[in-house]
Amino acid sequence: MRTIVHRHLGKVVAGAAVAVAGTAAMVAITLPGTAGADDGGSARTEQRAAAGGAQGAASGPGGPGAAVAPGVVEQAPAEGKKGTGRDPLTDDEIARVESLAVDRRMAAAAEDVEGDRGPQRLGVDLAEPAADELDDPHAPRRAVVTFYDYRADALVTRTVDLDSGKIEATTTQHGVQPPLSAAENAEAARLLIADPLGAGLRADFKDATGKDLTSPDQLLLNSAVYRAAPGAQPAVLDACGTHRCLRLFPKVVNGPWIDTRHLVIDLSARKVAALDRG
């Protein structure tokens, strides 16, 4: 258990840095000369041309020898309260649709990952238009909101019309396990830190930092949904797949990865179990 992992774990994907180099161009201005003239005449011609260029620059934009105005970087326009067409959802739209999607009945009946009233929000996305609306520039904007109800162990999806506020469709699915949210990862880490099976995690963190591990905030967390595989785990994990279960891939902030791949956290049952190592 007490293995600090310094390499990439599981489905954790390391980012790659990309360097962008810019190039500068030099523009040379050649003043006209006088072909066949003597040196004195050529010098006088160049002086007149230079003076003319200076006058042109001073006379305003567009004239001969006009100075190039410095570039101006425009600020991005402020985000409005409502988008149009296929624009991404605005912050105001997301907040509004989250409120609309959870009616009183759902708020009273469902539970989130911490056991509080109301479902656990997973995500909000712009809905695809209906087949007969693909070419309609005035098609209604809709949002799809996904929740997990820990009381019923169900994935709930609701489609909301952003203009009318009406819930147009609701689907409830069991045994469907989308990727976990940041709040779910944090709760899983909290359960693991407090569990006897988290002793190795706490010891590895202490070795890496010299500090006690007491909060999920001290870790960077990635996770993967875990589904039961017959014969590959203890019986306590047989419900995983119907229950919301995961394996955590924790990393010390500014430090190493810690290997907890053999541990599974069942968020529905709020239990931690170790996989068989047969």
Side-chain angles (χ1 to χ4, degrees), residues 56-151:
S59 65
V68 178
V72 177
V73 178
E74 295 185 0
Q75 292 185 347
E79 181 182 76
K81 291 187 176 182
K82 296 177 62 177
T84 58
R86 300 300 298 160
D87 288 346
L89 294 170
T90 66
D91 290 342
D92 282 352
E93 285 178 319
I94 291 173
R96 179 169 177 262
V97 78
E98 286 177 344
S99 175
L100 291 170
V102 182
D103 54 26
R104 291 183 180 179
R105 181 178 178 182
M106 188 179 190
E111 286 185 2
D112 66 12
V113 68
E114 296 180 9
D116 296 330
R117 290 179 56 184
Q120 180 65 47
R121 183 180 68 83
L122 300 183
V124 182
D125 298 291
L126 186 68
E128 293 294 329
D132 59 352
E133 297 173 345
L134 292 175
D135 298 323
D136 183 0
H138 303 295
R141 278 167 63 81
R142 303 180 182 90
V144 176
V145 192
T146 53
F147 302 96
Y148 196 84
D149 177 4
Y150 276 87
R151 177 174 292 177

Side-chain angles (χ1 to χ4, degrees), residues 11 148 153 155 173-180 224-234 236-247 263-266 275:
K11 296 185 180 179
Y148 196 84
D153 267 312
L155 178 69
Q173 300 169 283
H174 296 274
V176 178
Q177 300 294 344
L180 293 109
V225 170
Y226 178 82
R227 293 179 176 276
Q233 73 281 316
V236 70
L237 297 177
D238 284 348
C240 288
T242 300
H243 283 188
R244 192 114 164 105
C245 302
L246 71 150
R247 291 195 291 178
L263 299 176
V264 175
I265 301 98
D266 183 336
L275 294 173

Side-chain angles (χ1 to χ4, degrees), residues 31-38 41-46 48:
L31 297 177
T34 304
D38 60 14
S42 178
R44 286 190 297 273
T45 301
E46 291 177 358
R48 287 195 298 270

Side-chain angles (χ1 to χ4, degrees), residues 11-25:
K11 296 185 180 179
V12 180
V13 180
V18 180
V20 179
T23 57

